[in-house]
Amino acid sequence: MGADPDRVIVATAVLALLVGAIYILFGLLRLGFVARFFAKPVLDGFIIGLGLFIAIGQLPKLVGIDKPDGNTVMIALRTVADLGSWQGATVLTGGVALAALFLLARFAPRLPGALIVAAAGIVAVQVLGLTDDGVEVVGDIPLGFDLVAWSGVDLDLVWDLVPGALAIVLVGFSQSVAIAKAYGAKGGYRVDANQEMIGYGMANVGAGLLQGFTVTGSLSKSAAAEEAGGRTPIVLVTTAILVVPTVLFAAGLFRDLPEPVLAAIVIHAVSGMLDPSGPRKLWRGHRNELILALGALLGVVLIGIPAGVLVGVGLSFALLIHRIDHPHVAELGRTGDGDYRDLLRDPSARRLPGVLIYRFDAPLVFANAETFADDVDAAVSTAQTAPHSVILDFSTISEVDTTGMASLVDLCRRLRTRGVGLIIADPTGPVWALMSANGVTDVIEEQNIHHTVERAVAAVERPPSAGGDRADAE
């Protein structure tokens, strides 16, 4: 590509257009389902990690030093270790701005605190000459749009940029939709991931046409918008309307905006995201899910934003597999009113003589099929009174794969060699259809398959003269 700046600008614009096109295509193909893999604990940890990532990233500006290298933790440690290099006037300016923002939010929440503080900072620079004391300011900002010729765009350039565009979409969407879903959970509204993709796509197409960079969701800007009172899409329309005249005519007004004031505004904007209440609730009742939150948080602050997303999603899958592999199981007993309840949860439930009623609260698939069969076998072996019948309550089994069916057939045959009959109660329609299509019902025999646990028990206690209710229903 060379060092030609116009060529770089055009390539950047083409990249934005490619990213936009891919986003729109993926959204139309409804590939936003990947957002479903962001569990709420992942979002809780991710959003806290992002808040720390942004806030700590602004600390060097707040104290007047160059930003250290390293992850979020290293930046914090190195910033504190470099205490001797802190600029007194910068620290004072940033500290006053940060305190003012919190005080305005506390005592005058309806006032535009960020705008007031920014304006006060600009005035302070001009009146007090803060730049003479070493306070850095934003500096000159070019006015207007300066588009370059779209020369040199060819298929080779586009093809070379496709892998980068795909990477930007994958990483950008992951962190953007995580931010969107976190705000959705906070505000109580639903996020349509496919519509988000199309929205990001249109934004990138617009940026590309104006020869800008690729764009994606931003926690700091989202937090700033919420802090300013933005609650509906009208905030985007208002921002767009105000940005155009600002770029054309008013950008110079921000030339004297102090960097520590800008850092204070960002830190204050994301401070509301550092809410530990979610992880605290998980600590009290769902410590397995707390690992998800901590994984996402630590991934962000120790490695980076994409890592936080990947760690969180990876841990989500690990927890899902663990739950499938170690599901809740229950032995059921009959209560006085004829219901069948978990013996461990309902003291009034009683075992039926010679009958073991077993419920498996998970899909019966390859990950837990062996566990299922071994657990039923063990329950039969350790029963106080050897059962003559085992009733499997299938009402909570939503799916059975080939491994699960093979395990079920093997269990049936093993029990029969011990003189124990196997009966299935309340299988769902799809599960019944799969077992029938794969010959499982031939092994278990249809008269041993019943619509409810009550009918299965009745069949054991008073065997029908012919057929089970599956066969009767047919």
Side-chain angles (χ1 to χ4, degrees):
M1 189 177 297
D4 181 2
D6 288 353
R7 174 76 167 166
V8 173
I9 291 172
V10 170
T12 301
V14 171
L15 180 63
L17 290 171
L18 277 174
V19 168
I22 294 171
Y23 264 132
I24 294 172
L25 176 63
F26 283 6
L28 294 175
L29 293 176
R30 306 192 67 78
L31 298 182
F33 68 87
V34 296
R36 298 173 189 168
F37 298 119
F38 293 102
K40 187 178 183 303
V42 172
L43 294 177
D44 289 341
F46 180 77
I47 209 68
I48 293 174
L50 272 178
L52 291 170
F53 177 89
I54 293 173
I56 292 174
Q58 295 296 316
L59 282 180
K61 287 185 181 180
L62 197 71
V63 298
I65 63 173
D66 293 333
K67 187 176 180 178
D69 296 328
N71 58 39
T72 300
V73 174
M74 294 308 300
I75 290 172
L77 294 175
R78 289 169 178 170
T79 298
V80 174
D82 201 16
L83 179 63
S85 300
W86 290 11
Q87 300 292 324
T90 301
V91 174
L92 181 61
T93 302
V96 170
L98 194 58
L101 286 165
F102 279 105
L103 289 173
L104 285 169
R106 175 68 176 85
F107 298 106
R110 294 186 177 275
L111 293 179
L115 185 60
I116 292 171
V117 170
I122 293 171
V123 171
V125 168
Q126 296 172 344
V127 173
L128 301 177
L130 295 180
T131 54
D132 295 335
D133 296 320
V135 177
E136 297 286 340
V137 295
V138 171
D140 291 329
I141 302 174
L143 292 175
F145 299 96
D146 187 14
L147 302 181
V148 302
W150 290 85
S151 59
V153 178
D154 51 38
L155 288 178
D156 288 339
L157 173 63
V158 174
W159 185 251
D160 289 341
L161 292 174
V162 167
L166 285 170
I168 290 171
V169 168
L170 293 175
V171 175
F173 179 70
S174 296
Q175 64 184 59
S176 297
V177 80
I179 295 169
K181 287 176 71 69
Y183 272 99
K186 184 178 180 181
Y189 57 84
R190 178 178 173 272
V191 174
D192 184 337
N194 296 305
Q195 194 61 41
E196 290 287 308
M197 277 188 160
I198 294 173
Y200 297 141
M202 296 301 295
N204 277 280
V205 168
L209 292 175
L210 293 174
Q211 297 184 346
F213 290 98
T214 57
V215 296
T216 188
S218 167
L219 175 63
S220 60
K221 294 175 181 62
S222 299
E226 185 189 47
E227 186 67 27
R231 296 292 184 275
T232 70
I234 197 67
V235 70
L236 304 176
V237 177
T238 305
T239 301
I241 292 173
L242 293 176
V243 162
V244 173
T246 300
V247 170
L248 292 175
F249 310 111
L253 295 176
F254 299 95
R255 179 175 62 86
D256 290 332
L257 176 62
E259 288 282 6
V261 171
L262 186 59
I265 291 172
V266 173
I267 291 172
H268 179 259
V270 301
S271 63
M273 308 309 296
L274 306 178
D275 182 6
S277 61
R280 193 160 50 234
K281 290 178 182 177
L282 296 177
W283 170 257
R284 290 198 295 265
H286 302 276
R287 295 192 181 180
N288 283 343
E289 295 191 12
L290 178 63
I291 296 174
L292 303 185
L294 293 178
L297 190 160
L298 293 175
V300 172
V301 300
L302 294 178
I303 307 174
I305 294 174
V309 174
L310 294 176
V311 169
V313 172
L315 287 174
S316 296
F317 276 111
L319 182 60
L320 176 62
I321 293 171
H322 176 77
R323 285 177 172 171
I324 292 175
D325 188 42
H326 297 78
H328 175 264
V329 298
E331 184 182 348
L332 306 184
R334 186 161 57 193
T335 63
D337 56 8
D339 289 336
Y340 291 87
R341 303 283 177 82
D342 186 342
L343 290 169
L344 296 179
R345 298 186 63 184
D346 191 336
S348 68
R350 295 289 182 268
R351 290 183 176 88
L352 301 182
V355 180
L356 171 68
I357 308 175
Y358 180 90
R359 191 181 71 210
F360 190 76
D361 295 341
L364 182 56
V365 293
F366 68 94
N368 58 28
E370 185 176 350
T371 300
F372 161 79
D374 290 345
D375 198 46
V376 175
D377 213 352
V380 171
S381 299
T382 58
Q384 293 179 349
T385 302
H388 56 73
S389 299
V390 172
I391 297 175
L392 300 179
D393 179 359
F394 258 46
S395 62
T396 54
I397 297 179
S398 59
E399 181 182 357
V400 179
D401 68 2
T402 55
T403 307
M405 287 185 282
S407 176
L408 187 61
V409 168
D410 180 63
L411 175 66
C412 179
R413 289 169 174 163
R414 275 192 285 164
L415 291 177
R416 282 178 180 170
T417 62
R418 299 164 63 180
V420 180
L422 181 67
I423 298 171
I424 293 179
D426 200 11
T428 64
V431 168
W432 161 257
L434 279 171
M435 291 195 303
S436 180
N438 286 273
V440 178
T441 54
D442 295 335
V443 176
I444 296 177
E445 301 177 357
E446 289 196 19
Q447 68 266 24
N448 293 322
I449 302 174
H450 300 269
H451 283 301
T452 64
V453 173
E454 289 82 0
R455 292 187 182 186
V457 171
V460 171
E461 294 181 332
R462 188 177 60 256
S465 58
D469 39 26
R470 281 287 177 187
D472 295 341
E474 295 297 327

